Amino acid sequence: MNNLKRVVLLVITISYCFSPSHQHRPPRLSLLQRGIRKKLENEPTSISKGFTTYFYDQTLDHFNYNPQSYTTFKQRYDLNFKHWGGSPRHAPIFAFLGDEAALGRHPRVGFMMENAPRFRALQVYIEHRFYGESNPLGSMKKSLQNATIRGYFNSAQALADYAEILIYLKNKLSAHNSPIIVIGGSYGGQLAVWFRLKYPHVAHGALASSAPILYFDDITPQDAYYSVVSKDFWDVSESCYKTIQKSWLEIDKIASKPHGLAVLSKKFNTCRQLRNCDELKEYLDRMYAGTAQYDDPPTYPVTQVCGGIDGAPKGTDILGRIVAGINAYLEDTKCRDTDYTPSYETYQGWNWQTCSELVMPIDHGYDTMFWPSNFSLSEWSKHCRRSFGVEPRPHWITTYYGGQDIKLILKKFASNIIFSNGLRDPYSSGGVLQNISDSLVAVVTTNGSHCLDLESSKPDDPEWLVTQRKTVFRIIRGWIKEYYATLSATHKLAL
């Protein structure tokens, strides 16, 4: 598309649908968009069975010594001792680092639960501060309304939480020589990488699944996420891709006519009449992004959507084909809830995190199957000022954790990190996809989706997924074997 066509299309889209202040909201990281997805084959795995819940008196502020810094709150963590070999054997500890959700039921913990017996590992699951039952003031709403308390809601404080709990557990269990492997997916995967970098004396290694640690500070192009979404659809069906690409202008045209929103509401069977055009477009955006991000076997949601679009009766118009695609994917829903928002806790908690430090500049760009748009930091800042009265700090993540020239930098001092990614996951565009050193390893699969490798295995798993998990297992086993050899040589311990 030449530049003139790009400008004309952008002007048309904005004039019909978007006010100048509209800011496209980047896709969430970890949690599934439950309001616009079909029930997954693998529903979230309960981590309550065989576990005991504990609460740690956690320090509110790890980095200052003001009176309020010494305030504590109850932080939840769950333990499973069933398979642990015990401290006399220096058996390992697997620690799952909680992300932007309450601890309890999580869709991507199966790998850890299945492999703990093979390593005779203690399982530890730690809830992220401010989420679930680990909230200093008892609820997300109360904490976010308190300008002082919410200032302690950040990734650095969360990492310090994990370190304090893990050190406490090693002391409590006399497990001083038990190696710890931290595990996380998505935002939790980012935390796992950063934890290994910041606390190498606590964690011997880290498994980071689908961790877009490079999607900050324009290291990764803004449209990279949606470029992968678009490629996923193109790879399944070129005609499906082109139908979606054309549909945005059709939506704009109908919305611009008298009673156009009523027509669109009826055509798309929305649960209530659309308030504006962008409500429908954002709904479709979430659906397409979600199906690509979680394009898991054996159902492959992108294939389902495209099957509906391409399989519509001959003569069906563009928007009729889009509706057919939605129906093929969400066949069991009565109407389309375009007003979907997650729970207050997860939605507002993540809103705060992305308005403060986790600023990932994601938008459509001009060469995807979506309507053209670019991330605007000034517009995002307006949103954050309206929501919390704060300015985002878009450069802080790379300042504190690094990211620029990552191959050159990490090769000098980092070790024992697995960067696991599936290339059908749009967030893989911000991940580490090549080995940095012998122990900074990228495990990449062409057909993998978001955090799929962390799920419980199934009999019909494709061979590439089985191989991916075996590779991760082999690497971790090598780390632990090397650790024991060093431990034995250094301390003359019987292992």
Side-chain angles (χ1 to χ4, degrees):
M1 184 184 295
N2 62 44
N3 290 336
L4 179 58
K5 288 181 179 178
R6 287 176 178 169
V7 172
V8 170
L9 181 56
L10 180 59
V11 170
I12 291 175
T13 302
I14 290 178
S15 64
Y16 286 159
C17 263
F18 295 109
S19 67
S21 62
H22 178 85
Q23 173 61 54
H24 172 66
R25 191 177 295 275
R28 288 275 309 287
L29 264 168
S30 298
L31 298 183
L32 304 178
Q33 299 288 353
R34 293 184 178 276
I36 49 169
R37 71 174 181 91
K38 185 185 288 187
K39 183 178 180 180
L40 291 180
E41 295 295 322
N42 252 8
E43 277 301 292
T45 303
S46 173
I47 61 172
S48 60
K49 188 176 181 180
F51 285 79
T52 303
T53 295
Y54 298 88
F55 289 90
Y56 179 77
D57 288 329
Q58 188 59 264
T59 306
L60 178 63
D61 180 11
H62 297 282
F63 304 111
N64 286 288
Y65 301 91
N66 298 315
Q68 68 269 23
S69 299
Y70 292 88
T71 303
T72 61
F73 66 96
K74 299 292 185 182
Q75 183 166 15
R76 177 183 171 180
Y77 65 97
D78 289 355
L79 299 181
N80 189 331
F81 290 94
K82 182 177 180 179
H83 305 290
W84 192 39
S87 56
R89 294 177 177 272
H90 316 298
I93 298 171
F94 286 175
F96 181 84
L97 305 186
D99 48 32
E100 75 276 24
L103 201 63
R105 287 176 63 79
H106 200 287
R108 311 286 184 173
V109 298
F111 176 88
M112 179 165 157
M113 297 178 72
E114 289 181 357
N115 284 283
R118 304 174 70 183
F119 286 98
R120 304 190 69 183
L122 169 66
Q123 297 177 63
V124 184
Y125 295 79
I126 310 175
E127 192 167 61
H128 192 295
R129 62 166 47 203
F130 284 76
Y131 291 104
E133 298 182 46
S134 301
N135 200 293
L137 294 185
S139 75
M140 185 66 74
K141 185 174 184 179
K142 288 182 180 179
S143 290
L144 290 182
Q145 287 176 344
N146 188 308
T148 299
I149 294 297
R150 74 184 182 209
Y152 305 118
F153 186 4
N154 58 67
S155 61
Q157 297 280 4
L159 294 182
D161 290 343
Y162 300 145
E164 195 165 302
I165 289 177
L166 291 172
I167 291 172
Y168 164 80
L169 287 174
K170 291 187 79 170
N171 290 330
K172 187 78 172 178
L173 301 172
S174 299
H176 308 290
N177 294 314
S178 292
I180 294 175
I181 305 297
V182 293
I183 298 171
S186 202
Y187 169 50
Q190 292 174 326
L191 293 172
V193 173
W194 297 333
F195 190 88
R196 171 61 183 163
L197 297 180
K198 293 293 186 180
Y199 297 94
H201 56 291
V202 180
H204 181 63
L207 167 57
S209 177
S210 301
I213 62 169
L214 302 181
Y215 225 130
F216 297 98
D217 220 2
D218 288 324
I219 298 173
T220 298
Q222 291 185 4
D223 65 351
Y225 179 98
Y226 282 99
S227 292
V228 176
V229 175
S230 300
K231 182 180 184 302
D232 288 349
F233 277 83
W234 178 277
D235 288 346
V236 168
S237 167
E238 181 180 343
S239 61
C240 172
Y241 171 100
K242 290 182 176 179
T243 299
I244 294 171
Q245 191 176 48
K246 294 174 183 177
S247 69
W248 310 115
L249 191 55
E250 289 299 309
I251 292 173
D252 294 345
K253 287 179 179 177
I254 294 177
S256 68
K257 297 177 180 179
H259 311 294
L261 291 177
V263 172
L264 289 172
S265 300
K266 183 177 180 180
K267 192 173 191 68
F268 282 86
N269 188 27
T270 59
C271 295
R272 55 160 183 75
Q273 182 164 318
L274 295 166
R275 291 182 293 251
N276 48 56
C277 178
D278 59 293
E279 182 181 340
L280 175 60
K281 295 174 78 169
E282 292 283 2
Y283 171 84
L284 293 171
D285 179 301
R286 291 196 305 271
M287 187 188 75
Y288 298 139
T291 56
Q293 188 165 317
Y294 296 97
D295 196 29
D296 298 354
T299 55
Y300 293 106
V302 171
T303 301
Q304 289 180 312
V305 172
C306 282
I309 289 175
D310 291 341
K314 187 176 181 179
T316 303
D317 62 17
I318 289 176
L319 294 191
R321 291 184 179 277
I322 297 299
V323 170
I326 299 173
N327 292 339
Y329 177 53
L330 300 173
E331 57 198 24
D332 56 349
T333 56
K334 295 180 181 179
C335 60
R336 310 306 172 210
D337 185 8
T338 57
D339 198 31
Y340 165 74
T341 55
S343 69
Y344 182 92
E345 176 184 283
T346 56
Y347 178 80
Q348 284 291 62
W350 189 244
N351 192 24
W352 163 257
Q353 290 194 267
T354 54
C355 267
S356 48
E357 61 169 352
L358 298 173
V359 183
M360 293 191 290
I362 299 175
D363 220 323
H364 299 147
Y366 294 96
D367 294 312
T368 68
M369 69 179 191
F370 297 86
W371 67 92
S373 59
N374 283 326
F375 178 85
S376 168
L377 181 58
S378 63
E379 292 301 324
W380 188 248
S381 297
K382 289 179 184 177
H383 159 74
C384 295
R385 287 195 298 270
R386 287 195 302 267
S387 299
F388 303 107
V390 300
E391 291 281 346
R393 298 176 65 184
H395 310 297
W396 177 244
I397 288 295
T398 55
T399 300
Y400 192 69
Y401 300 113
Q404 307 285 357
D405 297 319
I406 193 167
K407 292 182 180 180
L408 174 66
I409 303 302
L410 291 194
K411 191 172 184 179
K412 293 180 179 179
F413 75 93
S415 63
N416 290 7
I417 301 174
I418 299 171
F419 302 95
S420 179
N421 283 280
L423 297 183
R424 293 189 70 78
D425 172 19
Y427 272 116
S428 68
S429 59
V432 176
L433 304 180
Q434 296 179 334
N435 292 352
I436 297 175
S437 69
D438 291 342
S439 65
L440 298 171
V441 184
V443 178
V444 178
T445 55
T446 301
N447 295 316
S449 54
H450 196 64
C451 300
L452 179 62
D453 54 312
L454 294 187
E455 273 204 357
S456 300
S457 59
K458 303 189 298 291
D460 58 353
D461 280 337
E463 187 57 36
W464 55 263
L465 178 55
V466 174
T467 300
Q468 182 183 19
R469 291 182 178 132
K470 285 182 178 179
T471 300
V472 170
F473 172 85
R474 176 180 51 80
I475 294 170
I476 294 175
R477 183 179 61 185
W479 292 346
I480 294 176
K481 183 179 180 181
E482 182 184 38
Y483 172 85
Y484 285 149
T486 304
L487 183 66
S488 178
T490 304
H491 297 284
K492 308 298 182 183
L493 296 176
L495 300 174

